[in-house]
Amino acid sequence: MKWLKSLLVATGLIFAGMTVALAQGANAAEAPNVLIERVSNEVLDLLKKDQALRSGNIERVMEVVDEKVMPHVNFARMTALAVGPAWREATPEQRQQLQDEFELLLVRTYSGALDQVSQNQSIAMRPYRAAATDTDVTVNTEVRGQGNPVELSYRMRLENDQWKVYNVNVAGVWMVESYRSQFQPQLSSGGIDGLIKVLQERNRQNAGGGK
Protein backbone atom coordinates (compact mmCIF):
# COMPACT_ATOMS: atom_id res chain seq x y z
CA MET A 1 0.00 0.00 0.00
CA LYS A 2 3.05 2.30 -0.15
CA TRP A 3 1.99 3.58 -3.58
CA LEU A 4 -1.43 4.52 -2.21
CA LYS A 5 0.08 6.61 0.58
CA SER A 6 2.32 8.40 -1.91
CA LEU A 7 -0.65 8.97 -4.20
CA LEU A 8 -2.76 10.44 -1.44
CA VAL A 9 -0.01 12.77 -0.29
CA ALA A 10 0.69 13.79 -3.88
CA THR A 11 -2.99 14.42 -4.52
CA GLY A 12 -3.22 16.37 -1.28
CA LEU A 13 -0.27 18.57 -2.17
CA ILE A 14 -1.51 19.29 -5.65
CA PHE A 15 -5.06 20.01 -4.47
CA ALA A 16 -3.78 22.05 -1.53
CA GLY A 17 -2.05 24.51 -3.78
CA MET A 18 -3.92 24.30 -7.03
CA THR A 19 -7.43 24.45 -5.65
CA VAL A 20 -6.61 27.95 -4.50
CA ALA A 21 -4.22 28.73 -7.34
CA LEU A 22 -6.69 28.14 -10.15
CA ALA A 23 -9.20 30.40 -8.44
CA GLN A 24 -7.34 33.58 -9.30
CA GLY A 25 -10.12 36.14 -9.22
CA ALA A 26 -12.05 34.50 -6.40
CA ASN A 27 -12.50 37.00 -3.58
CA ALA A 28 -12.64 36.61 0.17
CA ALA A 29 -16.45 36.73 0.10
CA GLU A 30 -16.41 33.22 -1.33
CA ALA A 31 -16.36 30.82 1.59
CA PRO A 32 -13.25 28.61 1.69
CA ASN A 33 -15.27 25.39 1.50
CA VAL A 34 -17.12 26.67 -1.56
CA LEU A 35 -13.84 27.62 -3.18
CA ILE A 36 -12.31 24.22 -2.45
CA GLU A 37 -15.34 22.36 -3.80
CA ARG A 38 -15.58 24.45 -6.96
CA VAL A 39 -11.93 24.45 -7.96
CA SER A 40 -11.03 20.94 -6.79
CA ASN A 41 -13.17 19.57 -9.60
CA GLU A 42 -11.31 21.74 -12.11
CA VAL A 43 -7.96 20.53 -10.80
CA LEU A 44 -8.98 16.90 -10.83
CA ASP A 45 -10.08 17.28 -14.43
CA LEU A 46 -6.68 18.79 -15.26
CA LEU A 47 -4.86 15.91 -13.63
CA LYS A 48 -6.90 13.42 -15.62
CA LYS A 49 -6.30 15.14 -18.95
CA ASP A 50 -2.73 16.45 -18.72
CA GLN A 51 -0.52 13.49 -19.59
CA ALA A 52 2.74 15.32 -18.86
CA LEU A 53 1.47 16.18 -15.38
CA ARG A 54 0.17 12.67 -14.78
CA SER A 55 3.45 11.10 -15.87
CA GLY A 56 5.34 13.09 -13.25
CA ASN A 57 7.30 15.14 -15.78
CA ILE A 58 9.34 17.36 -13.48
CA GLU A 59 9.44 20.30 -15.86
CA ARG A 60 5.66 20.27 -16.24
CA VAL A 61 5.03 19.75 -12.53
CA MET A 62 7.40 22.57 -11.58
CA GLU A 63 5.75 24.80 -14.17
CA VAL A 64 2.36 24.21 -12.59
CA VAL A 65 3.73 24.64 -9.06
CA ASP A 66 5.61 27.85 -9.81
CA GLU A 67 2.89 29.47 -11.90
CA LYS A 68 -0.24 28.25 -10.14
CA VAL A 69 0.58 27.07 -6.64
CA MET A 70 3.25 29.19 -4.98
CA PRO A 71 1.56 32.58 -5.50
CA HIS A 72 -1.50 31.29 -3.64
CA VAL A 73 -0.05 29.12 -0.88
CA ASN A 74 1.67 30.56 2.17
CA PHE A 75 4.72 28.42 1.59
CA ALA A 76 6.89 30.54 3.86
CA ARG A 77 4.52 29.77 6.74
CA MET A 78 4.37 26.11 5.73
CA THR A 79 8.16 25.86 5.71
CA ALA A 80 8.49 27.79 8.97
CA LEU A 81 6.06 25.43 10.70
CA ALA A 82 7.92 22.40 9.35
CA VAL A 83 11.28 23.77 10.55
CA GLY A 84 9.94 24.80 13.95
CA PRO A 85 11.62 27.19 16.43
CA ALA A 86 14.92 27.13 14.52
CA TRP A 87 13.22 29.16 11.78
CA ARG A 88 13.46 32.27 13.97
CA GLU A 89 17.25 31.98 14.00
CA ALA A 90 17.59 31.56 10.22
CA THR A 91 18.84 34.42 8.07
CA PRO A 92 16.73 35.63 5.12
CA GLU A 93 19.09 33.76 2.78
CA GLN A 94 18.76 30.55 4.79
CA ARG A 95 14.97 30.87 4.86
CA GLN A 96 14.86 31.22 1.09
CA GLN A 97 17.15 28.21 0.67
CA LEU A 98 14.93 26.16 2.97
CA GLN A 99 11.81 27.13 1.02
CA ASP A 100 13.43 26.34 -2.34
CA GLU A 101 14.77 22.96 -1.24
CA PHE A 102 11.57 22.02 0.61
CA GLU A 103 9.46 22.85 -2.44
CA LEU A 104 11.72 20.78 -4.69
CA LEU A 105 11.67 17.92 -2.18
CA LEU A 106 7.87 17.83 -2.17
CA VAL A 107 7.63 17.99 -5.95
CA ARG A 108 10.25 15.34 -6.63
CA THR A 109 9.10 13.03 -3.85
CA TYR A 110 5.45 12.88 -4.85
CA SER A 111 5.23 13.72 -8.54
CA GLY A 112 5.79 10.10 -9.52
CA ALA A 113 2.50 9.10 -7.89
CA LEU A 114 0.35 11.38 -10.03
CA ASP A 115 -0.07 8.70 -12.67
CA GLN A 116 -2.16 6.77 -10.13
CA VAL A 117 -4.99 9.33 -10.31
CA SER A 118 -7.91 7.37 -11.73
CA GLN A 119 -10.68 8.57 -14.03
CA ASN A 120 -13.36 7.71 -11.47
CA GLN A 121 -11.87 9.66 -8.58
CA SER A 122 -13.89 12.50 -7.14
CA ILE A 123 -13.90 14.94 -4.24
CA ALA A 124 -16.73 14.99 -1.71
CA MET A 125 -17.10 17.81 0.79
CA ARG A 126 -17.47 17.09 4.51
CA PRO A 127 -19.57 19.30 6.82
CA TYR A 128 -18.00 22.73 7.20
CA ARG A 129 -18.18 24.47 10.56
CA ALA A 130 -16.80 27.99 10.81
CA ALA A 131 -18.10 31.43 11.63
CA ALA A 132 -18.23 34.09 8.95
CA THR A 133 -15.69 36.11 10.93
CA ASP A 134 -13.12 33.28 11.23
CA THR A 135 -9.80 33.94 9.52
CA ASP A 136 -8.21 30.53 10.13
CA VAL A 137 -10.27 27.51 9.17
CA THR A 138 -10.10 23.82 8.30
CA VAL A 139 -11.90 22.51 5.23
CA ASN A 140 -12.54 18.76 5.24
CA THR A 141 -13.07 16.65 2.13
CA GLU A 142 -12.92 13.03 1.03
CA VAL A 143 -11.21 11.46 -1.96
CA ARG A 144 -13.54 8.84 -3.40
CA GLY A 145 -13.39 6.37 -6.24
CA GLN A 146 -10.47 4.12 -5.29
CA GLY A 147 -11.17 1.82 -2.35
CA ASN A 148 -12.44 3.31 0.88
CA PRO A 149 -12.88 7.10 0.99
CA VAL A 150 -9.80 8.88 2.32
CA GLU A 151 -10.01 12.08 4.34
CA LEU A 152 -8.20 15.08 2.87
CA SER A 153 -8.25 18.33 4.85
CA TYR A 154 -6.81 21.81 4.43
CA ARG A 155 -5.82 24.44 6.95
CA MET A 156 -6.40 27.85 5.41
CA ARG A 157 -5.79 31.40 6.57
CA LEU A 158 -7.29 34.62 5.28
CA GLU A 159 -4.45 36.97 4.34
CA ASN A 160 -4.98 40.29 2.58
CA ASP A 161 -8.44 39.18 1.42
CA GLN A 162 -7.11 35.89 0.03
CA TRP A 163 -7.50 32.41 1.46
CA LYS A 164 -4.20 30.55 1.48
CA VAL A 165 -3.43 26.93 2.34
CA TYR A 166 -0.62 26.35 4.82
CA ASN A 167 -1.07 22.71 5.84
CA VAL A 168 -2.62 19.52 4.47
CA ASN A 169 -3.92 16.45 6.26
CA VAL A 170 -4.01 13.14 4.42
CA ALA A 171 -5.70 10.19 6.13
CA GLY A 172 -5.16 11.68 9.58
CA VAL A 173 -1.56 12.88 9.15
CA TRP A 174 -0.72 16.58 8.90
CA MET A 175 2.06 17.15 6.38
CA VAL A 176 3.79 19.96 8.28
CA GLU A 177 3.97 18.02 11.53
CA SER A 178 5.22 14.94 9.70
CA TYR A 179 8.11 16.81 8.13
CA ARG A 180 8.89 18.64 11.36
CA SER A 181 9.57 15.30 13.06
CA GLN A 182 11.88 14.37 10.17
CA PHE A 183 13.75 17.69 10.27
CA GLN A 184 14.38 17.91 14.01
CA PRO A 185 17.28 15.39 14.20
CA GLN A 186 19.07 17.23 11.40
CA LEU A 187 18.51 20.59 13.07
CA SER A 188 19.76 19.24 16.40
CA SER A 189 22.95 17.90 14.92
CA GLY A 190 23.75 20.40 12.17
CA GLY A 191 21.55 23.44 12.62
CA ILE A 192 19.92 25.28 9.73
CA ASP A 193 22.88 24.79 7.39
CA GLY A 194 22.90 21.09 8.21
CA LEU A 195 19.22 20.77 7.30
CA ILE A 196 19.77 22.67 4.06
CA LYS A 197 22.60 20.30 3.11
CA VAL A 198 20.45 17.25 3.89
CA LEU A 199 17.59 18.60 1.75
CA GLN A 200 19.99 19.38 -1.10
CA GLU A 201 21.39 15.86 -0.96
CA ARG A 202 17.93 14.27 -0.90
CA ASN A 203 16.93 16.37 -3.90
CA ARG A 204 20.06 15.30 -5.78
CA GLN A 205 19.26 11.67 -5.03
CA ASN A 206 15.65 12.12 -6.12
CA ALA A 207 16.80 13.82 -9.31
CA GLY A 208 19.03 10.86 -10.11
CA GLY A 209 16.07 8.50 -10.01
CA GLY A 210 13.48 10.94 -11.33
CA LYS A 211 11.85 11.28 -14.71
Side-chain angles (χ1 to χ4, degrees):
M1 300 297 288
K2 183 177 180 181
W3 70 267
L4 178 57
K5 182 178 180 181
S6 295
L7 164 64
L8 293 172
V9 176
T11 305
L13 290 173
I14 294 294
F15 285 161
M18 293 174 61
T19 49
V20 181
L22 294 182
Q24 294 186 21
N27 55 50
E30 184 177 26
N33 61 319
V34 175
L35 184 151
I36 292 292
E37 181 177 26
R38 176 175 61 81
V39 186
S40 288
N41 290 316
E42 297 178 22
V43 174
L44 186 58
D45 186 59
L46 175 64
L47 287 170
K48 291 176 180 179
K49 293 180 178 180
D50 191 324
Q51 186 55 44
L53 187 60
R54 284 173 53 81
S55 67
N57 180 281
I58 292 299
E59 289 74 18
R60 175 56 178 153
V61 174
M62 288 300 296
E63 177 185 343
V64 171
V65 169
D66 289 339
E67 293 183 3
K68 302 296 185 180
V69 177
M70 289 305 138
H72 301 276
V73 174
N74 191 336
F75 200 71
R77 176 174 171 78
M78 185 179 290
T79 308
L81 291 173
V83 172
W87 179 262
R88 294 194 295 269
E89 307 301 323
T91 66
E93 292 76 13
Q94 287 174 322
R95 290 182 177 184
Q96 189 60 56
Q97 282 184 291
L98 285 168
Q99 290 183 64
D100 292 343
E101 296 298 332
F102 189 33
E103 175 188 351
L104 187 57
L105 175 68
L106 296 178
V107 171
R108 286 199 177 277
T109 298
Y110 301 118
S111 61
L114 294 178
D115 62 351
Q116 299 294 331
V117 175
S118 66
Q119 294 297 319
N120 65 338
Q121 276 187 312
S122 63
I123 300 294
M125 305 300 296
R126 300 292 301 276
Y128 176 70
R129 298 179 178 86
T133 55
D134 287 346
T135 58
D136 197 306
V137 302
T138 300
V139 177
N140 301 306
T141 73
E142 285 184 347
V143 180
R144 296 178 179 176
Q146 193 165 359
N148 294 328
V150 177
E151 294 181 3
L152 181 61
S153 301
Y154 310 89
R155 281 182 179 154
M156 305 175 68
R157 173 182 277 188
L158 184 63
E159 302 175 0
N160 299 320
D161 294 329
Q162 294 183 358
W163 286 101
K164 294 194 176 185
V165 175
Y166 66 89
N167 204 352
V168 185
N169 185 300
V170 181
V173 178
W174 287 104
M175 184 191 72
V176 163
E177 284 75 5
S178 177
Y179 275 100
R180 183 187 301 163
S181 66
Q182 297 179 42
F183 292 166
Q184 289 313 302
Q186 306 302 331
L187 288 167
S188 297
S189 62
I192 291 292
D193 286 334
L195 176 59
I196 291 172
K197 290 179 180 178
V198 168
L199 292 176
Q200 289 172 336
E201 179 58 29
R202 288 178 64 178
N203 284 327
R204 281 193 292 269
Q205 293 175 355
N206 288 341
K211 299 183 180 181

Coordinates of all heavy atoms in Angstrom, one line a residue, residues 36-75:
I36 N -13.0 25.5 -2.3 CA -12.3 24.2 -2.5 C -13.2 23.3 -3.3 O -12.6 22.6 -4.2 CB -12.1 23.6 -1.1 CG1 -11.0 24.4 -0.3 CG2 -11.7 22.1 -1.2 CD1 -9.6 24.2 -0.9
E37 N -14.5 23.3 -3.0 CA -15.3 22.4 -3.8 C -15.4 22.7 -5.3 O -15.3 21.8 -6.2 CB -16.8 22.4 -3.2 CG -17.7 21.5 -3.9 CD -19.1 21.5 -3.3 OE1 -19.5 22.6 -2.7 OE2 -19.8 20.5 -3.4
R38 N -15.5 24.0 -5.6 CA -15.6 24.5 -7.0 C -14.3 24.2 -7.8 O -14.3 23.6 -8.9 CB -15.9 26.0 -7.0 CG -15.9 26.5 -8.4 CD -16.4 28.0 -8.4 NE -15.5 28.8 -7.6 CZ -14.3 29.3 -8.1 NH1 -14.0 29.0 -9.3 NH2 -13.6 30.1 -7.4
V39 N -13.2 24.5 -7.2 CA -11.9 24.5 -8.0 C -11.3 23.1 -7.9 O -10.6 22.7 -8.8 CB -10.9 25.5 -7.5 CG1 -9.7 25.6 -8.4 CG2 -11.6 26.9 -7.5
S40 N -11.6 22.3 -6.9 CA -11.0 20.9 -6.8 C -11.4 20.1 -8.0 O -10.7 19.3 -8.6 CB -11.5 20.2 -5.5 OG -10.9 20.7 -4.4
N41 N -12.7 20.3 -8.4 CA -13.2 19.6 -9.6 C -12.4 20.0 -10.9 O -12.1 19.2 -11.7 CB -14.7 19.8 -9.8 CG -15.5 19.1 -8.7 OD1 -15.2 17.9 -8.3 ND2 -16.4 19.8 -8.1
E42 N -12.1 21.3 -11.0 CA -11.3 21.7 -12.1 C -9.9 21.1 -12.1 O -9.4 20.7 -13.1 CB -11.2 23.3 -12.1 CG -12.5 24.0 -12.2 CD -12.3 25.5 -12.1 OE1 -11.2 26.0 -12.4 OE2 -13.3 26.2 -11.8
V43 N -9.3 21.1 -10.9 CA -8.0 20.5 -10.8 C -7.9 19.0 -11.1 O -7.1 18.5 -11.8 CB -7.4 20.8 -9.4 CG1 -6.1 20.1 -9.2 CG2 -7.3 22.3 -9.2
L44 N -8.9 18.3 -10.6 CA -9.0 16.9 -10.8 C -9.1 16.6 -12.3 O -8.5 15.7 -12.9 CB -10.2 16.3 -10.1 CG -10.3 14.8 -10.1 CD1 -9.0 14.1 -9.6 CD2 -11.5 14.3 -9.3
D45 N -9.9 17.4 -13.0 CA -10.1 17.3 -14.4 C -8.8 17.5 -15.1 O -8.4 16.8 -16.1 CB -11.1 18.3 -14.9 CG -11.5 18.1 -16.4 OD1 -11.9 17.0 -16.8 OD2 -11.3 19.0 -17.2
L46 N -8.0 18.5 -14.7 CA -6.7 18.8 -15.3 C -5.7 17.6 -15.1 O -5.0 17.2 -16.0 CB -6.1 20.1 -14.6 CG -4.7 20.4 -15.0 CD1 -4.6 20.8 -16.5 CD2 -4.2 21.6 -14.2
L47 N -5.7 17.0 -13.9 CA -4.9 15.9 -13.6 C -5.2 14.7 -14.5 O -4.3 14.0 -14.9 CB -5.0 15.5 -12.2 CG -4.3 16.4 -11.2 CD1 -4.7 16.0 -9.7 CD2 -2.8 16.4 -11.3
K48 N -6.5 14.5 -14.8 CA -6.9 13.4 -15.6 C -6.5 13.6 -17.1 O -6.3 12.7 -17.8 CB -8.4 13.2 -15.5 CG -8.9 12.7 -14.1 CD -10.4 12.6 -14.0 CE -10.8 12.1 -12.7 NZ -12.3 12.0 -12.6
K49 N -6.5 14.9 -17.5 CA -6.3 15.1 -19.0 C -4.9 15.4 -19.3 O -4.5 15.2 -20.5 CB -7.2 16.3 -19.4 CG -8.7 16.0 -19.3 CD -9.5 17.2 -19.8 CE -11.0 16.9 -19.8 NZ -11.8 18.1 -20.2
D50 N -4.1 16.0 -18.4 CA -2.7 16.5 -18.7 C -1.8 15.3 -18.5 O -1.3 15.0 -17.4 CB -2.3 17.6 -17.8 CG -1.1 18.3 -18.2 OD1 -0.1 17.6 -18.7 OD2 -1.0 19.5 -18.1
Q51 N -1.4 14.7 -19.7 CA -0.5 13.5 -19.6 C 0.9 13.8 -19.0 O 1.4 13.0 -18.3 CB -0.4 12.9 -21.0 CG 0.4 11.5 -21.0 CD -0.3 10.5 -20.0 OE1 -1.5 10.4 -20.0 NE2 0.6 9.8 -19.2
A52 N 1.4 15.0 -19.4 CA 2.7 15.3 -18.9 C 2.7 15.5 -17.3 O 3.6 15.0 -16.6 CB 3.2 16.6 -19.5
L53 N 1.6 16.0 -16.8 CA 1.5 16.2 -15.4 C 1.3 14.8 -14.7 O 1.9 14.5 -13.7 CB 0.3 17.1 -15.1 CG 0.0 17.5 -13.6 CD1 1.3 18.3 -13.1 CD2 -1.2 18.4 -13.5
R54 N 0.4 14.0 -15.3 CA 0.2 12.7 -14.8 C 1.4 11.8 -14.8 O 1.6 11.0 -13.9 CB -0.9 12.0 -15.6 CG -2.3 12.5 -15.3 CD -3.3 11.8 -16.3 NE -3.2 10.4 -16.3 CZ -3.8 9.6 -15.4 NH1 -4.5 10.1 -14.4 NH2 -3.7 8.3 -15.5
S55 N 2.3 12.0 -15.8 CA 3.4 11.1 -15.9 C 4.6 11.5 -14.9 O 5.6 10.9 -14.8 CB 4.0 11.1 -17.3 OG 4.5 12.4 -17.6
G56 N 4.3 12.6 -14.2 CA 5.3 13.1 -13.2 C 6.5 13.8 -13.9 O 7.6 14.0 -13.3
N57 N 6.3 14.4 -15.1 CA 7.3 15.1 -15.8 C 7.7 16.3 -14.9 O 6.8 17.2 -14.7 CB 6.8 15.6 -17.1 CG 7.8 16.4 -17.9 OD1 8.0 17.6 -17.6 ND2 8.4 15.8 -18.9
I58 N 8.9 16.4 -14.5 CA 9.3 17.4 -13.5 C 9.2 18.8 -14.0 O 8.8 19.7 -13.3 CB 10.8 17.1 -13.0 CG1 10.9 15.8 -12.2 CG2 11.3 18.3 -12.2 CD1 10.0 15.8 -11.0
E59 N 9.6 19.0 -15.3 CA 9.4 20.3 -15.9 C 8.0 20.8 -15.8 O 7.7 21.9 -15.5 CB 10.0 20.3 -17.3 CG 11.5 20.2 -17.4 CD 12.0 18.8 -17.1 OE1 11.2 17.9 -17.2 OE2 13.2 18.7 -16.8
R60 N 7.1 19.9 -16.2 CA 5.7 20.3 -16.2 C 5.1 20.5 -14.8 O 4.4 21.5 -14.6 CB 4.8 19.2 -17.0 CG 3.3 19.4 -16.9 CD 2.9 20.7 -17.5 NE 1.5 20.9 -17.6 CZ 0.9 22.1 -17.5 NH1 1.6 23.2 -17.5 NH2 -0.4 22.1 -17.5
V61 N 5.5 19.6 -13.9 CA 5.0 19.8 -12.5 C 5.5 21.1 -11.9 O 4.8 21.8 -11.3 CB 5.5 18.6 -11.7 CG1 5.1 18.8 -10.2 CG2 4.8 17.3 -12.2
M62 N 6.8 21.3 -12.1 CA 7.4 22.6 -11.6 C 6.8 23.8 -12.2 O 6.5 24.8 -11.6 CB 8.9 22.6 -11.8 CG 9.7 21.6 -10.9 SD 9.5 21.9 -9.1 CE 10.2 23.5 -9.0
E63 N 6.4 23.7 -13.5 CA 5.8 24.8 -14.2 C 4.4 25.1 -13.5 O 4.1 26.3 -13.2 CB 5.5 24.5 -15.6 CG 4.8 25.5 -16.4 CD 4.5 25.1 -17.9 OE1 5.1 24.1 -18.3 OE2 3.6 25.7 -18.5
V64 N 3.7 24.0 -13.2 CA 2.4 24.2 -12.6 C 2.5 24.7 -11.2 O 1.8 25.7 -10.7 CB 1.6 22.9 -12.6 CG1 0.3 23.0 -11.7 CG2 1.2 22.4 -14.0
V65 N 3.5 24.2 -10.4 CA 3.7 24.6 -9.1 C 4.1 26.1 -9.0 O 3.6 26.9 -8.3 CB 4.8 23.8 -8.4 CG1 5.2 24.4 -7.1 CG2 4.3 22.3 -8.2
D66 N 5.1 26.5 -9.8 CA 5.6 27.8 -9.8 C 4.6 28.9 -10.3 O 4.5 30.0 -9.7 CB 6.9 28.0 -10.7 CG 8.1 27.3 -10.0 OD1 8.0 27.1 -8.8 OD2 9.0 26.9 -10.7
E67 N 3.8 28.5 -11.3 CA 2.9 29.5 -11.9 C 1.5 29.5 -11.2 O 0.9 30.5 -11.1 CB 2.7 29.2 -13.4 CG 3.9 29.4 -14.2 CD 3.6 29.1 -15.7 OE1 2.5 28.8 -16.1 OE2 4.6 29.2 -16.5
K68 N 1.1 28.3 -10.7 CA -0.2 28.2 -10.1 C -0.3 28.1 -8.6 O -1.3 28.5 -8.0 CB -1.0 27.1 -10.8 CG -1.1 27.1 -12.3 CD -1.9 28.3 -12.8 CE -2.1 28.3 -14.3 NZ -2.9 29.5 -14.7
V69 N 0.7 27.4 -8.1 CA 0.6 27.1 -6.6 C 1.2 28.1 -5.7 O 0.6 28.7 -4.9 CB 1.2 25.7 -6.4 CG1 1.2 25.4 -4.9 CG2 0.5 24.6 -7.2
M70 N 2.5 28.4 -5.9 CA 3.2 29.2 -5.0 C 2.7 30.6 -4.8 O 2.7 31.1 -3.6 CB 4.7 29.3 -5.4 CG 5.5 28.0 -5.2 SD 5.3 27.4 -3.5 CE 5.1 25.6 -3.7
P71 N 2.1 31.3 -5.8 CA 1.6 32.6 -5.5 C 0.3 32.6 -4.6 O -0.1 33.6 -4.1 CB 1.2 33.1 -6.9 CG 2.0 32.3 -7.8 CD 2.1 31.0 -7.2
H72 N -0.2 31.4 -4.4 CA -1.5 31.3 -3.6 C -1.4 30.4 -2.4 O -2.5 30.1 -1.8 CB -2.6 30.8 -4.6 CG -2.8 31.7 -5.8 ND1 -3.6 32.8 -5.7 CD2 -2.3 31.7 -7.0 CE1 -3.5 33.5 -6.9 NE2 -2.7 32.8 -7.7
V73 N -0.3 29.9 -2.1 CA 0.0 29.1 -0.9 C 0.9 29.9 0.0 O 1.9 30.4 -0.5 CB 0.5 27.7 -1.2 CG1 0.8 27.0 0.1 CG2 -0.5 26.9 -2.0
N74 N 0.7 29.9 1.3 CA 1.7 30.6 2.2 C 2.8 29.6 2.4 O 2.8 28.9 3.5 CB 1.0 31.0 3.5 CG 1.9 31.9 4.3 OD1 3.1 31.8 4.2 ND2 1.3 32.7 5.2
F75 N 3.7 29.4 1.5 CA 4.7 28.4 1.6 C 5.8 28.8 2.6 O 6.4 28.0 3.2 CB 5.4 28.2 0.2 CG 6.1 26.8 0.2 CD1 5.4 25.6 0.1 CD2 7.5 26.8 0.1 CE1 6.0 24.4 0.1 CE2 8.1 25.6 0.1 CZ 7.4 24.4 0.1

